[in-house]
Amino acid sequence: MKKRMIFALLAALLAVLALSGCSDEGPVPSGCLRIDGKDVRTDWVMKVDGKEVSADEYRYFFMNVAYEYSGGYDTYDWSDEENEAVVQSVLEYVVLNRALFDLAEGYGLSIDGEDRETIQADIKKTAATFESNDEYLAALESTYITEEYYPTLLESTVIQQKLSDFLLSDGGAFAVTPEEMLEKVENEYVCVRYLMLSADGEGSTANRDRIAEYASRITDKDSLITFINLYSDAVSMKNNADGIYISAGMADEELVRACFDLEIGEISPVVECSDGYYIILRQEFDSEYVAANIDAYIEEYQESAVKKLLTDESADSVVEYNEDIYKKISVYSMS
């Protein structure tokens, strides 16, 4: 299994993959995708709002998404549905990537000459840690990075840090003290535990039927907790007496609404959401527990806020595909 060296995304987003940038300056990308074991030349794979997404950039996203999805196993047995999920996830990451840079630009944040000098110095320092240039290039390739694309990727980390500092540091839009966060949680969150079964695949009603059966057998808090500990697909709910604290924007809208509609101690009917089926118990608020974990709540709040900014920024993005190339792309063909 390959060891990934994926650069950290803006701390408040906590996506699985780093978002890579695109610059008008610097080395020209290699312009090749590995499709069916062959290098296929293309100047661009897609355009987002008229801006080209190079082969190097797209492949970086695609291969890392596929790696994360499969757990890094080269012999992973992909289904057609999983292939479609990977292709869709890559599209979403690419669009969010452009939104990240557009958002930064809107705040007057950009890469300057000093940043580029630092990036070049960092590249030289990294390359010098290897015994040969071939070993250095092999290390880049092991994480699906080309030498031409590496500077652009490092630009992303600089932009991410600038945007993070702007939004989250003292005086930033989403800066919050522990005291302010505790008050926010007390006023804007509810505490819940839930039994969750994942959404059924196409043509199946197995989990829908199971959750309906469980609902008919759950009579009180204790019986629900027993079912949670035995059967919930949400592992974090099992044997978790503290539950979770949830607010608007932190989960599926239907789930959040159902949580807030409950009184303390009340159990919901089956709630169907995009990711599955839920039976929810609303619990009492525990200020001491929240205060002891306030740093995690601050991080979660900031993640959600920044993600909404990026989602809103990308909502109207227009995507154009290089159809001759794009129609050949799948987990079965890319390498």
Side-chain angles (χ1 to χ4, degrees):
M1 184 181 296
K2 296 180 180 178
K3 182 179 179 181
R4 296 182 306 140
M5 298 162 42
I6 302 177
F7 297 98
L9 174 62
L10 177 63
L13 184 57
L14 286 185
V16 171
L17 305 178
L19 295 184
S20 54
C22 189
S23 172
D24 293 332
E25 302 181 23
V28 177
S30 66
C32 287
L33 285 176
R34 293 286 295 176
I35 298 179
D36 292 328
K38 300 178 182 179
D39 284 334
V40 179
R41 180 77 187 180
T42 180
D43 291 329
W44 56 281
V45 176
M46 62 176 61
K47 296 179 183 179
V48 180
D49 295 329
K51 298 178 181 178
E52 294 181 356
V53 176
S54 71
D56 288 11
E57 178 180 357
Y58 185 85
R59 182 172 183 269
Y60 171 77
F61 278 105
F62 189 98
M63 298 305 293
N64 277 295
V65 170
Y67 181 101
E68 185 68 26
Y69 202 106
S70 68
Y73 292 100
D74 293 335
T75 58
Y76 189 81
D77 186 17
W78 295 96
S79 68
D80 290 342
E81 292 78 11
E82 289 170 327
N83 171 64
E84 292 175 8
V86 169
V87 173
Q88 182 60 33
S89 291
V90 174
L91 173 61
E92 291 170 0
Y93 276 118
V94 169
V95 172
L96 281 176
N97 171 47
R98 298 314 171 93
L100 176 71
F101 281 83
D102 289 345
L103 188 63
E105 184 179 356
Y107 290 126
L109 307 173
S110 62
I111 298 290
D112 56 30
E114 183 178 350
D115 295 325
R116 291 193 173 91
E117 289 180 5
T118 300
I119 286 170
Q120 290 303 318
D122 288 343
I123 290 173
K124 291 180 180 179
K125 188 181 299 183
T126 299
T129 64
F130 294 88
E131 292 185 2
S132 69
N133 190 58
D134 286 344
E135 287 190 9
Y136 164 64
L137 295 179
L140 291 182
E141 173 56 27
S142 73
T143 51
Y144 316 112
I145 303 169
T146 62
E147 185 179 21
E148 297 85 356
Y149 185 51
Y150 192 25
T152 302
L153 186 58
L154 290 180
E155 288 186 11
S156 172
T157 67
V158 175
I159 284 294
Q160 290 165 20
Q161 188 59 55
K162 288 186 176 186
L163 190 56
S164 177
D165 291 344
F166 181 81
L167 294 172
L168 308 181
S169 297
D170 290 346
F174 305 123
V176 59
T177 67
E179 294 76 18
E180 291 169 340
M181 192 67 224
L182 179 58
E183 182 178 359
K184 179 180 287 290
V185 174
E186 290 176 340
N187 292 329
E188 300 176 17
Y189 289 58
V190 293
C191 180
V192 297
R193 288 182 76 178
Y194 49 70
L195 169 63
M196 181 265 192
L197 297 184
S198 300
D200 289 309
E202 186 176 353
S204 173
T205 62
N207 280 352
R208 184 195 299 270
D209 296 340
R210 282 177 60 208
I211 199 84
E213 178 194 350
Y214 295 161
S216 70
R217 295 163 57 188
I218 291 169
T219 57
D220 55 21
K221 170 184 172 181
D222 291 338
S223 59
L224 173 56
I225 290 173
T226 297
F227 274 80
I228 291 173
N229 293 337
L230 287 173
Y231 303 119
S232 182
D233 288 341
V235 178
S236 62
M237 287 287 100
K238 294 184 175 182
N239 302 303
N240 176 10
D242 298 311
I244 63 168
Y245 290 77
I246 193 168
S247 69
M250 288 177 55
D252 189 291
E253 185 178 342
E254 291 296 325
L255 176 60
V256 173
R257 183 184 303 116
C259 291
F260 274 86
D261 284 346
L262 295 172
E263 300 292 335
I264 293 175
E266 187 179 1
I267 297 172
S268 76
V270 175
V271 178
E272 183 172 350
C273 299
S274 59
D275 62 342
Y277 312 98
Y278 294 79
I279 300 176
I280 308 160
L281 166 68
R282 181 169 174 180
Q283 299 191 153
E284 291 187 9
F285 189 94
D286 186 342
S287 294
E288 291 185 3
Y289 172 82
V290 174
N293 294 277
I294 200 64
D295 288 346
Y297 286 101
I298 291 174
E299 184 176 278
E300 189 174 44
Y301 159 70
Q302 291 175 333
E303 288 171 23
S304 179
V306 173
K307 186 173 182 179
K308 185 177 187 306
L309 271 184
L310 289 174
T311 301
D312 290 347
E313 183 72 29
S314 65
D316 297 327
S317 294
V318 177
V319 179
E320 176 187 351
Y321 301 98
N322 184 339
E323 292 292 350
D324 289 341
I325 292 294
Y326 199 73
K327 66 185 180 183
K328 300 176 182 177
I329 291 172
S330 73
V331 292
Y332 312 112
S333 65
M334 288 276 286
S335 62

